[in-house]
C-alpha cells in the first residue's frame, strides 16, 4: 500500500468518526453529507487499490512471459514494510541476523514517536504504524466500544490528568478593561491517574503458514490481533462501566422509566450526545416496546447501512453479545437456582464518562518453545498491547436494569 493510499485510509477512518459524532449530536443532515463524502473517499481508495493490483499483475505477467526483466526485484520487494517486518520476525524465530535492508525498511516505518518502555526494551518487535493502522481498521465494528469513549494517546507508562468538575455550568466572570480579575469560587478539579497495563496473548501458528507469503502471514496475524485487542479493550471498558454504576442502578420497567433517565437523571448536555449500550436481551426488551398507538418505539437509523436502531428517534443503540456484556442472574434463597436475570442498559455519553489512555505500542515476537508447540510443529506468536481505562465523570452514564423472570 503506497503513501497516498495510507493517507486515504486515515481520511476514511476520520470521516467515519465524524459521521458517528454528527449522528450522536443529532445533526442528521450534516451526517448524511459527511457520509456522502465518506463514500467518495472509499470509491477513490478502491480505484487506487484496483490500479495497484493491475499494475502488479501486469508486471508479473510480463516477467513470466519473458517480455520484461526483474531489475533489483528482490530488493524492491524488501522495501515493502510488511515483507520486511515478517522477515525480521522470522529471523528472530530462527535466531539469525535479519537482513540489513529489512532492518532499514523497518526502522524507516517506525514513524511513531511512542516507543516501548525502557524496562521492556528488547522484548518483541514493535509493529510499525501503517500495519497498526490496518489492525485498527479491522477491529472497527458497531460493537467496538473504544470508538465511543474518549481516547488519549500517552507517551509514558503512568501520569495524571486534572478534570474540572461541572466546567460546562461554571461560567467566567466579567472583567473590566485594565481591571484586576475578581475573586470567584475556586473550581473543583478531579485528578485522574492512569497506569498503562500490559495485555497479551499467544497465537499458535502452523509451520506451513510461515512458509506462505509475507502478505498472507501478516493478514492472518492482523485479523487475530484485531479480534483479541477489541475483545480486551471492550472487557476493560465494560469493567469500568460496571464499577462506575455499582449501587446506583436504575430500574427500567416501561417507557416512562427510560424517559426519566434522559430527561431527569442525565444532564441535558450529556443527554444530547448520549448512546445506549446493552446486550441481546436488553435490546430485545427495547425492540418490543410500543407507544400508546401500538407502534414500536425503536426506529431505524437512516445513517447506518447496518440498520442500527434509535430509541425515541434520537439515541443510537449499541447491541453487544450476551457473552461479552452479561446479564446479572437473580438467585433463589438457596443461592443455586436462577429465578431470572437483570439485563443491563447503559445510557449516557461515554466520551465524557471514560478515557482510554493508549500507549500506541503493539509488540510481537515468535517462540516455538512454549508448551505443546514443538511436538505439533507450531510456532507461538506473542502479542502485547498497552493501555489503561479510567472513569472520568460518573454522572455521565446511568445503568438501567430490566428484570426478566425465568418461566416455570
Amino acid at each position: 500500500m503506497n503513501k497516498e493510499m495510507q493517507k486515504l485510509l486515515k481520511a476514511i477512518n476520520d470521516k467515519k468518526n465524524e459521521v458517528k459524532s454528527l449522528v450522536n449530536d443529532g445533526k442528521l443532515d450534516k451526517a448524511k453529507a459527511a457520509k456522502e463524502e465518506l463514500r467518495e473517499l472509499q470509491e477513490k481508495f478502491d480505484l487506487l487499490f484496483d490500479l495497484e493490483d493491475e499494475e502488479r499483475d501486469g508486471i508479473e505477467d510480463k516477467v513470466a512471459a519473458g517480455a520484461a526483466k526483474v531489475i533489483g526485484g528482490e530488493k524492491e520487494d524488501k522495501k515493502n514494510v510488511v515483507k520486511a517486518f515478517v522477515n525480521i520476525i522470522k529471523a528472530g524465530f530462527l535466531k539469525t541476523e535479519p537482513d540489513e535492508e529489512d532492518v532499514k525498511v523497518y526502522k524507516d516505518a517506525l514513524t511513531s514517536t511512542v516507543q516501548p518502555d525502557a524496562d521492556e526494551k528488547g522484548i518483541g518487535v514493535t509493529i510499525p504504524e501503517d500495519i497498526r493502522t490496518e489492525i485498527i481498521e479491522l477491529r472497527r465494528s458497531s460493537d467496538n466500544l473504544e470508538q465511543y469513549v474518549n481516547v488519549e494517546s500517552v507517551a509514558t507508562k503512568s501520569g495524571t490528568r486534572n478534570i474540572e468538575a461541572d466546567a460546562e455550568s461554571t461560567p467566567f466572570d466579567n472583567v473590566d478593561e485594565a481591571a484586576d480579575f475578581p475573586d470567584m469560587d475556586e473550581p473543583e478539579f478531579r485528578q485522574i491517574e492512569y497506569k498503562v497495563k500490559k495485555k497479551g496473548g499467544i497465537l499458535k501458528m502452523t509451520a506451513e503458514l510461515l512458509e506462505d507469503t509475507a502478505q498472507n502471514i501478516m493478514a492472518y496475524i492482523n485479523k487475530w490481533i484485531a479480534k483479541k485487542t477489541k475483545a480486551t479493550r471492550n472487557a476493560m471498558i465494560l469493567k469500568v462501566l460496571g464499577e462506575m454504576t455499582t449501587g446506583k442502578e436504575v430500574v427500567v420497567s416501561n417507557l416512562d422509566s427510560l424517559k426519566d433517565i434522559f430527561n431527569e437523571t442525565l444532564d441535558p448536555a450529556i443527554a444530547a450526545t448520549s448512546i445506549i449500550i446493552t446486550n441481546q436481551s436488553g435490546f430485545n426488551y427495547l425492540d418490543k416496546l410500543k407507544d400508546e398507538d401500538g407502534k414500536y418505539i425503536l426506529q431505524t437509523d437512516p445513517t447506518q447501512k447496518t440498520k442500527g436502531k434509535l430509541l425515541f428517534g434520537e439515541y443510537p443503540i449499541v447491541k453487544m453479545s450476551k457473552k461479552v456484556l452479561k446479564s446479572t442472574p437473580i438467585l433463589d434463597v438457596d443461592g443455586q437456582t436462577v429465578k431470572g436475570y437483570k439485563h443491563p442498559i447503559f445510557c449516557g455519553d461515554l466520551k465524557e464518562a471514560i478515557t482510554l489512555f493508549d500507549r500506541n505500542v503493539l509488540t510481537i515476537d515468535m517462540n516455538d518453545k512454549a508448551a505443546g508447540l514443538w511436538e505439533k510443529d507450531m510456532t507461538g506468536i506473542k502479542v502485547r498491547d498497552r493501555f489503561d481505562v479510567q472513569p472520568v465523570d460518573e454522572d455521565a452514564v446511568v445503568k438501567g436494569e430490566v428484570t426478566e423472570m425465568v418461566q416455570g
Side-chain angles (χ1 to χ4, degrees), residues 344-408:
I345 300 179
F346 291 102
C347 310
D349 185 343
L350 268 63
K351 288 189 181 296
E352 295 292 331
I354 292 175
T355 292
L356 187 152
F357 296 94
D358 199 345
R359 189 71 174 82
N360 287 323
V361 175
L362 280 170
T363 55
I364 186 172
D365 63 324
M366 304 174 75
N367 189 349
D368 67 344
K369 299 300 186 291
L373 294 179
W374 176 260
E375 300 84 10
K376 298 179 181 179
D377 198 22
M378 300 180 77
T379 295
I381 302 292
K382 186 179 292 183
V383 178
R384 301 176 184 85
D385 191 10
R386 295 162 177 81
F387 67 96
D388 189 22
V389 180
Q390 289 295 329
V392 175
D393 185 354
E394 294 183 355
D395 293 329
V397 64
V398 173
K399 182 181 182 181
E401 287 186 329
V402 175
T403 299
E404 181 184 15
M405 304 307 294
V406 176
Q407 299 295 325

Side-chain angles (χ1 to χ4, degrees), residues 208-387:
E208 289 80 9
L209 180 60
L210 291 176
E211 297 172 1
D212 207 334
T213 65
Q215 282 78 9
N216 287 349
I217 293 172
M218 207 65 236
Y220 181 84
I221 295 174
N222 284 354
K223 287 180 183 178
W224 182 81
I225 295 177
K227 290 179 181 178
K228 299 298 287 187
T229 54
K230 182 178 81 169
T232 305
R233 292 176 177 226
N234 276 357
M236 287 284 287
I237 292 169
L238 290 174
K239 180 175 181 291
V240 172
L241 270 176
E243 293 171 348
M244 292 173 67
T245 54
T246 296
K248 299 183 291 184
E249 295 84 356
V250 175
V251 175
V252 174
S253 56
N254 51 39
L255 274 176
D256 287 344
S257 54
L258 283 168
K259 289 182 179 180
D260 287 341
I261 291 176
F262 291 99
N263 294 341
E264 291 284 345
T265 309
L266 292 172
D267 186 275
I270 296 296
T273 53
S274 287
I275 63 172
I276 295 169
I277 295 176
T278 187
N279 61 13
Q280 294 161 269
S281 298
F283 180 84
N284 189 47
Y285 170 82
L286 295 174
D287 202 28
K288 291 180 179 179
L289 287 176
K290 297 179 180 179
D291 61 17
E292 296 176 352
D293 297 326
K295 296 179 180 179
Y296 288 110
I297 290 296
L298 297 193
Q299 301 175 17
T300 300
D301 187 345
T303 66
Q304 299 293 321
K305 283 185 177 180
T306 55
K307 296 183 179 179
K309 294 294 183 73
L310 298 173
L311 176 63
F312 305 132
E314 186 173 358
Y315 306 110
I317 300 175
V318 180
K319 181 172 65 174
M320 308 291 295
S321 166
K322 291 189 289 186
K323 297 177 182 178
V324 177
L325 178 53
K326 298 179 180 178
S327 298
T328 304
I330 302 172
L331 302 178
D332 204 342
V333 290
D334 60 7
Q336 300 295 324
T337 305
V338 176
K339 297 173 56 180
Y341 292 92
K342 292 182 178 180
H343 307 309
I345 300 179
F346 291 102
C347 310
D349 185 343
L350 268 63
K351 288 189 181 296
E352 295 292 331
I354 292 175
T355 292
L356 187 152
F357 296 94
D358 199 345
R359 189 71 174 82
N360 287 323
V361 175
L362 280 170
T363 55
I364 186 172
D365 63 324
M366 304 174 75
N367 189 349
D368 67 344
K369 299 300 186 291
L373 294 179
W374 176 260
E375 300 84 10
K376 298 179 181 179
D377 198 22
M378 300 180 77
T379 295
I381 302 292
K382 186 179 292 183
V383 178
R384 301 176 184 85
D385 191 10
R386 295 162 177 81
F387 67 96

Side-chain angles (χ1 to χ4, degrees), residues 102-121:
D102 286 334
V103 174
K104 182 179 182 303
V105 172
Y106 167 71
K107 288 184 176 179
D108 289 343
L110 291 179
T111 56
S112 173
T113 57
V114 181
Q115 295 297 322
D117 302 307
D119 60 349
E120 294 187 4
K121 284 184 178 178

